[in-house]
Amino acid sequence: MSEKKIPSVDFAIIGGSGTLSSDFPKNLPGAEIISENNFFDTPYGKSPAFKIFQSGGKKILTCKMHGWRSGVTRADASRQIFWVFREAGVKRILSEGGVGTVNHLLNPRDLMIPDDYLDLSVRKDVMLDGRYLLVMRDALCPELRKNLLSAAKKFFTGRIFEHGIYAVTDGRHFESPAEISMLKGHADIVGQSLAPEVYLAREIGACCANLSFVVNYGEGIKNWSHEVMKDIFFDDAEMIGKILLETIANTDAEKKSCACLSYRKETLLKEVYNSESDKG
C-alpha cells in the first residue's frame, strides 16, 4: 500500500542480513503487524517498503537491508530511511547485521555490541540538511547498548562481547586479505552497515545501537565456508529478532541516562548552509 502520512513512531529497527531470512517481525511472539509495504515520498526519492508493527504496546517502524535496492545508491537509501524516521519523530534506533572478523580471537556465531567505529567508506557527506555539528562521542548509545546486552544474554548462550570497534567498508564485495591485515589492531569486526547510520541518527536527534553477529572470518585470518554463513543466517534469524524486540520492551522512548542528544550542536557554518539553500 502507499501511505501518504508518516505515522508518529518512537522506535525503529533497521533490518540487516541477520533477520532477512525470517521476514522480521513475522511469527515473533508478541509482534503484531499493523501495516506492510508502506512507501513514502522523500526529497531523495521514494522510500523502501516499511512495516509498521506493535510489540509490547510500542509502535515500531522497520525496513529490510538498510533500504538497499537496485537502482538506488546506498547514500540515497540511507537518506530516505532517516528522512522518514525524522518525520515520524523516531527517538530510538536499533540496527543489526552479519559481520566478518578482524580480531583473530573472534569466531563465527559470536555476538558483538560495538561501542565505537571506523568509517572507511566513501559516503562521508551523507546528511539531511547540514544544520548541525555532530559530535561523535558515544555514537553508539550506552543506554541502548546496555539494554541490548541484557536482551542478548536472555536469548543467546554463546559468547557476547559488549565492547568492540566496527570498521565500515563500502562493499558490496568482502575485504581483501591486505585490507583485513591493515585493520588489525584498529578494529574488531568489519561490515557495511553502521555508517552513515550513526551520523544520520545523531543528526535527527535519535539514539542508536547495533547488534552484530559474526558470520565469517576476515580474509587471511582463517578460511571460512559460505555454507556455514548461510546456516547462521537461516538458523539464528529468529533469535536476533527476539533480542531486538526484548531490547525495545526494556527501553523507554525518552532518554534517561544517555547524553546522545547533547552531542548534536547548532553548526557554526549555518550562514554557509543557508546561502547554499537559497541558491537551490
Side-chain angles (χ1 to χ4, degrees):
M1 65 180 281
S2 177
E3 183 133 339
K4 294 181 181 178
K5 183 174 174 56
I6 297 173
S8 177
V9 178
D10 289 325
F11 297 90
I13 295 173
I14 302 175
S17 52
T19 59
L20 185 62
S21 67
S22 66
D23 195 20
F24 176 84
K26 188 177 180 181
N27 298 325
L28 285 178
E32 177 189 351
I33 295 177
I34 298 171
S35 62
E36 301 184 74
N37 295 319
N38 299 289
F39 298 91
F40 304 105
D41 290 326
T42 82
Y44 312 100
K46 182 171 282 191
S47 77
F50 281 93
K51 289 180 184 176
I52 303 165
F53 72 99
Q54 190 165 292
S55 179
K58 296 174 179 177
K59 193 182 289 184
I60 303 162
L61 197 58
T62 188
C63 67
K64 290 182 180 181
M65 288 306 298
H66 298 259
W68 301 342
R69 57 210 191 276
S70 178
V72 179
T73 67
R74 290 194 176 186
D76 279 346
S78 298
R79 281 186 279 236
Q80 291 162 7
I81 291 172
F82 279 85
W83 188 89
V84 171
F85 286 171
R86 185 178 66 180
E87 296 301 300
V90 167
K91 299 180 179 70
R92 305 281 201 167
I93 302 168
L94 297 175
S95 67
E96 57 82 11
V99 293
T101 63
V102 175
N103 188 326
H104 71 279
L105 298 177
L106 294 173
N107 296 310
R109 281 199 163 95
D110 285 342
L111 270 181
M112 179 170 282
I113 302 168
D115 62 339
D116 208 344
Y117 69 95
L118 284 171
D119 186 5
L120 304 178
S121 73
V122 297
R123 304 184 300 275
K124 297 290 193 284
D125 196 25
V126 180
M127 59 188 178
L128 297 182
D129 55 32
R131 286 184 295 155
Y132 298 105
L133 169 67
L134 306 177
V135 179
M136 299 312 292
R137 187 180 313 145
D138 287 335
L140 295 151
C141 173
E143 186 179 328
L144 268 183
R145 289 179 50 252
K146 179 182 176 182
N147 293 348
L148 261 177
L149 178 62
S150 296
K153 287 179 177 178
K154 179 175 179 178
F155 294 105
F156 184 61
T157 58
R159 299 198 304 173
I160 305 169
F161 295 86
E162 58 183 300
H163 299 284
I165 299 174
Y166 187 129
V168 183
T169 58
D170 268 327
R172 299 178 66 103
H173 57 277
F174 281 16
E175 298 72 32
S176 72
E179 288 172 318
I180 295 296
S181 179
M182 176 189 70
L183 289 171
K184 284 181 182 177
H186 303 288
D188 298 292
I189 54 176
V190 62
Q192 301 166 16
S193 52
L194 195 63
E197 286 82 348
V198 285
Y199 311 132
L200 290 168
R202 184 134 295 176
E203 182 175 353
I204 69 171
C207 298
C208 73
N210 171 267
L211 182 67
S212 288
F213 205 21
V214 176
V215 296
N216 68 283
Y217 292 108
E219 293 299 329
I221 293 179
K222 285 184 184 178
N223 288 333
W224 58 277
S225 162
H226 186 266
E227 287 301 313
V228 171
M229 176 191 286
K230 186 170 71 171
D231 289 344
I232 293 173
F233 284 142
F234 279 90
D235 293 347
D236 299 309
E238 182 178 344
M239 179 264 295
I240 297 293
K242 287 179 178 179
I243 292 172
L244 296 173
L245 295 191
E246 179 76 7
T247 301
I248 288 178
N250 296 326
T251 301
D252 293 326
E254 298 304 324
K255 304 163 180 60
K256 290 188 174 180
S257 62
C258 72
C260 296
L261 189 56
S262 70
Y263 298 137
R264 184 183 71 168
K265 311 288 187 181
E266 287 290 334
T267 180
L268 301 176
L269 303 175
K270 56 187 174 183
E271 290 184 7
V272 175
Y273 284 112
N274 288 340
S275 66
E276 287 301 317
S277 355
D278 290 342
K279 292 177 186 175

